[in-house]
Amino acid sequence: AQTVTQSQPEMSVQEAETVTLSCTYDTSESDYYLFWYKQPPSRQMILVIRQEAYKQQNATENRFSVNFQKAAKSFSLKISDSQLGDAAMYFCAYRRSGYALNFGKGTSLLVTP
Amino acid sequence: GAVVSQHPSWVICKSGTSVKIECRSLDFQATTMFWYRQFPKQSLMLMATSNEGSKATYEQGVEKDKFLINHASLTLSTLTVTSAHPEDSSFYICSAERGGSGGTGELFFGEGSRLTVL
């Protein structure tokens, strides 16, 4: 079974600063997808960024980027120029095609002015 | 983008009654839908996988007779909580896989349904 581990239950960052959220996973598969989702108080799941395992290049989406280390099974999320609206719960997730998303326990991000 | 609509967004019911939650893909056909449950301050836990026209596959520990899932069409899956009890109070959220999504691996989420059983 695949497991996703987020070792930081809570993180705090000052507005305009950079923060990195950690995620590791365990799998014996070579072809899979990794995701970071944001869940604000509304509880709507919002896709932040996606990475295909076969791609060596790290995905980026504006202020959000990942550091994907396939051999180490690590998938961290970096948020640059943090904004108050970034405050939310962030979930790292793993998925193989045709199967469900497998989520980590989440990291609560607090952004201070 | 792909839109998934979930209804109702919140529901309160009495203990012993049944509640139905609908999950619709509005602008695409969803060959597979997944149902998750999320308790406060916890992660999303997969309950079952729903494939159109076939029986749902339930995760270990999820009672299939209590959580009835029907996926009768390519755009609609329903979750019925039968004989609900206070411990079933939770946030239920569905996600759908678009057929022929081009290998993006992305799932599209409904808004979720908050169930409170009195």
Side-chain angles (χ1 to χ4, degrees):
Chain A
Q2 294 80 23
T3 57
V4 179
T5 302
Q6 293 180 249
S7 58
Q8 306 154 316
E10 295 180 351
M11 289 286 284
S12 181
V13 63
Q14 207 160 8
E15 205 175 358
E17 296 297 309
T18 296
V19 64
T20 299
L21 307 184
S22 300
C23 174
T24 58
Y25 59 95
D26 185 29
T27 184
S28 57
E29 303 294 327
S30 60
D31 190 17
Y32 50 87
Y33 303 92
L34 296 166
F35 303 84
W36 279 97
Y37 281 90
K38 172 184 178 181
Q39 188 180 44
S42 68
R43 303 187 86 167
Q44 173 73 52
M45 297 297 286
I46 300 168
L47 176 64
V48 174
I49 200 164
R50 175 183 65 236
Q51 175 81 42
E52 291 93 335
Y54 68 87
K55 289 188 176 179
Q56 292 186 342
Q57 187 173 7
N58 289 324
T60 61
E61 287 288 342
N62 301 312
R63 297 184 294 109
F64 300 88
S65 61
V66 297
N67 184 0
F68 173 47
Q69 300 291 326
K70 191 172 184 179
K73 297 179 183 175
S74 171
F75 184 62
S76 61
L77 174 69
K78 185 171 81 172
I79 305 174
S80 304
D81 186 25
S82 296
Q83 301 175 358
L84 294 177
D86 294 334
M89 197 74 175
Y90 286 81
F91 291 100
C92 178
Y94 165 100
R95 181 169 189 249
R96 287 172 56 200
S97 264
Y99 293 84
L101 279 162
N102 190 5
F103 291 92
K105 291 187 176 182
T107 297
S108 178
L109 179 65
L110 174 66
V111 182
T112 57
Chain B
V3 180
V4 176
S5 176
Q6 200 170 327
H7 179 80
S9 55
W10 59 272
V11 57
I12 301 173
C13 70
K14 292 183 178 180
S15 185
T17 61
S18 295
V19 173
K20 180 185 285 188
I21 299 170
E22 294 186 347
C23 179
R24 292 181 185 273
S25 55
L26 299 185
D27 53 359
F28 67 99
Q29 292 184 331
T31 51
T32 304
M33 289 185 174
F34 302 95
W35 286 94
Y36 291 86
R37 180 167 54 183
Q38 185 181 30
F39 291 107
K41 299 189 184 300
Q42 293 189 21
S43 187
L44 284 76
M45 298 302 296
L46 179 68
M47 298 177 66
T49 300
S50 169
N51 290 298
E52 185 265 339
S54 62
K55 290 184 178 180
T57 302
Y58 291 82
E59 295 300 299
Q60 192 173 5
V62 177
E63 300 173 59
K64 61 180 180 181
D65 294 331
K66 181 171 187 60
F67 298 99
L68 301 180
I69 291 173
N70 184 283
H71 193 163
S73 79
L74 286 172
T75 60
L76 174 65
S77 177
T78 60
L79 167 66
T80 301
V81 184
T82 63
S83 186
H85 288 93
E87 58 266 29
D88 299 324
S89 298
S90 187
F91 187 70
Y92 294 87
I93 188 165
C94 70
S95 65
E97 178 171 33
R98 181 166 54 186
S101 61
T104 67
E106 185 175 357
L107 295 180
F108 303 94
F109 283 87
E111 308 94 327
S113 300
R114 186 183 304 275
L115 170 64
T116 301
V117 184
L118 302 177

